[in-house]
Amino acid sequence: MGLRFRPVETAFYDQFSESAQHLLVGTGLLAESLDGTADLADVAARMREAEHAADETTHAIIRRVNQTFVTPFDREDIYALASGLDDVMDCMDEVVDMLMLYEVKAMPTELLTDQVDVLQRCAEITAAAMPNLRSMQSLDEYWIEINRLENVGDRNHRRILAHLFSGEYKAMEVLKLKDIVEGLEAAIDAFERVANTVEQIAVKES
């Protein structure tokens, strides 16, 4: 019976878990930014710090890939997963920055909060799923739920756009809000790309 060599470099799993933890911080700050009493400049500054920390984790993963002879799974998939997690954080950072810079006067807070709730749920189950990359167990439940949440986000997105174009808002406010709404949608889509990458990894490793 032939022996199958298994890589001993397991730090990637911890780094992916760390990267997902940054997303929990990011969604929390995003939710805080929609609080009417929030100091948006302060929230945006803390989001920039969180985004910088997420970047550092991503760079650490890339450095480890470049320095490791045998990786736990394909290098291309490691790059894709690290980049995908980072993309989510970038999208959320952009939304918070727009909320601060645009100074929107009339905000459909309840509708936007629905999307942030979706993002928070995505972050929670992504953070819970990353440690399972070690065993490749129970990951199908993760990507199925992310895909379901992405569908919820799509429905929310259409509802928000319909509200924006109802005539209730001035044209300039509509333009500002549409950018913010599209940013939230982009963040949810980025979570789905992460889930798709995890599914691809799991299929290859099964």
Side-chain angles (χ1 to χ4, degrees), residues 177-204:
L177 285 167
K178 190 171 184 296
D179 277 353
I180 292 166
V181 170
E182 295 296 344
L184 293 172
E185 172 77 355
I188 295 172
D189 288 344
F191 266 118
E192 185 183 37
R193 287 194 295 275
V194 168
N196 289 342
T197 300
V198 170
E199 181 177 9
Q200 177 177 311
I201 292 168
V203 168
K204 288 181 179 179

Side-chain angles (χ1 to χ4, degrees), residues 62-83:
I62 301 306
R63 285 194 299 270
R64 189 173 296 278
V65 172
N66 293 336
Q67 295 167 0
T68 302
F69 182 67
V70 181
T71 55
F73 40 87
D74 287 352
R75 293 172 186 272
E76 293 79 7
D77 291 330
I78 293 175
Y79 286 129
L81 184 53
S83 176

Side-chain angles (χ1 to χ4, degrees), residues 29 41-53 93 97 100:
L29 289 167
D42 175 66
V43 177
R46 284 185 283 133
M47 179 63 97
R48 282 192 295 272
E49 292 175 1
E51 192 274 334
H52 178 70
D93 177 46
D97 204 38
M100 179 189 67

